[in-house]
Amino acid sequence: MALVTFLSDFGDQDFYVPAVKAKMLAINPQLNIIDLSHRIETYDLAHAAFILRSTFRDFPKGTVHLVAVNTTGSMTQGYIGVKLEEHIFIGPNNGIFSLLADKEPGIMVQFAEIHVQESSFPAKDILAPIAAKVASGAAIHDFGGPLQNFRKLMPRIPKATKEQITGHVMRVDRYGNLITNISKELFDKLNPGRFTIEFGRETLDRIFSGYDQVEPGDCFAFFNSSGYLEIGINHGHGGNLLGLRFESVVMIHFKF
């Protein structure tokens, strides 16, 4: 199955998204194009990486992921294809692919000049044709050579000691729930059995299994389907009501 996911910061009010799709379908009308999101905040690589990291493993191995976020920004150092965990990613070399996993991609290709024409719309003119052809059976090696300069961004990593974990909010979703960078794996490794979770002016001393485990208006904390600590207020916008936002501190104190 020729499957392509499409992630961008184009929004849905202009012609950009359908133009990119049209370019791919003109090459292979049988492509199955899945929209991940086109409402990424403009140029927001952290938001885009969060969406992609949270979803790409749920697609079949071999899926091609077209990423068009900040494609013409000053951070972009050309256009690349990478293979990570049996998935193919096509997009700008601006650091976004370094935020998808703890390990580096197994294959990294810098697209050759013959495939990289000068364009004010590289998502359509450069990335879409390559993504369509790779999804149709071509190899990313067909479009360039080994990547020498893989741009990297440094994600926030939780600080952990025997006594506590200090993490940060990675994302505030549309419901106001706050997703942190504290993983269940790290928590389980350090948890002696008693703890308090501190965020804003609130504290909790238990982990719930979901939103509905607390009464409307009460705070919750649980590990979500991606394995990260999520906090908020049931039926309330936790970000606004708790005064928390992207990169706000969340702490877990262990009791011995």
Side-chain angles (χ1 to χ4, degrees):
M1 177 175 60
L3 181 61
V4 178
T5 74
F6 185 16
L7 176 69
S8 80
D9 57 358
F10 295 157
D12 53 15
Q13 69 270 37
D14 296 303
F15 71 93
Y16 307 127
V17 170
V20 172
K21 290 183 177 181
K23 190 72 171 184
M24 289 191 283
L25 292 171
I27 293 171
N28 182 354
Q30 303 304 314
L31 286 179
N32 186 7
I33 303 172
I34 306 296
D35 296 298
L36 293 186
S37 176
H38 300 296
R39 302 187 68 180
I40 301 298
E41 292 295 329
T42 311
Y43 316 124
D44 191 341
L45 297 182
H47 183 190
F50 176 80
I51 296 294
L52 195 54
R53 183 175 63 244
S54 300
T55 57
F56 83 85
R57 295 179 181 88
D58 294 325
F59 288 93
K61 291 182 178 180
T63 297
V64 174
H65 304 275
L66 172 59
V67 180
V69 177
N70 199 20
T71 53
T72 59
S74 59
M75 293 177 61
T76 296
Q77 299 174 351
Y79 303 97
I80 63 175
V82 303
K83 186 174 184 180
L84 173 68
E85 299 181 20
E86 302 301 317
H87 290 254
I88 303 296
F89 299 86
I90 307 292
N93 185 16
N94 58 17
I96 188 170
F97 297 139
S98 68
L99 300 176
L100 301 184
D102 295 333
K103 58 184 178 182
E104 288 196 2
I107 297 174
M108 298 183 286
V109 173
Q110 179 85 46
F111 296 143
E113 290 186 7
I114 190 173
H115 300 290
V116 183
Q117 65 191 71
E118 186 174 346
S119 172
S120 63
F121 195 177
K124 174 189 173 185
D125 298 328
I126 299 170
L127 301 176
I130 295 175
K133 292 172 184 177
V134 171
S136 302
I140 54 174
H141 293 102
D142 296 340
F143 301 93
L147 175 63
Q148 302 300 326
N149 184 20
F150 180 51
R151 188 176 180 92
K152 293 183 179 181
L153 299 176
M154 297 301 295
R156 276 198 176 274
I157 305 297
K159 295 180 180 179
T161 67
K162 184 178 180 181
E163 290 78 25
Q164 68 182 36
I165 299 173
T166 302
H168 294 82
V169 174
M170 295 192 299
R171 178 68 187 154
V172 183
D173 71 14
R174 70 184 301 269
Y175 298 98
N177 302 323
L178 303 130
I179 303 168
T180 77
N181 61 351
I182 301 174
S183 68
K184 186 176 188 301
E185 179 182 10
L186 178 61
F187 174 80
D188 289 344
K189 182 178 180 180
L190 297 175
N191 179 23
R194 298 177 62 215
F195 58 87
T196 57
I197 304 170
E198 180 182 334
F199 48 99
R201 298 180 179 178
E202 301 292 333
T203 59
L204 291 174
D205 59 6
R206 62 175 292 193
I207 300 288
F208 298 92
S209 59
Y211 308 100
D212 60 353
Q213 298 298 302
V214 300
E215 295 295 325
D218 287 345
C219 293
F220 62 78
F222 66 90
F223 287 100
N224 63 22
S225 60
S226 297
Y228 288 96
L229 183 69
E230 184 170 332
I231 58 178
I233 296 176
N234 190 18
H235 288 197
H237 194 291
N240 293 339
L241 296 173
L242 297 168
L244 300 177
R245 57 187 181 275
F246 176 66
E247 292 203 331
S248 290
V249 174
V250 176
M251 301 185 70
I252 301 178
H253 303 278
F254 297 117
K255 299 179 179 181
F256 296 90

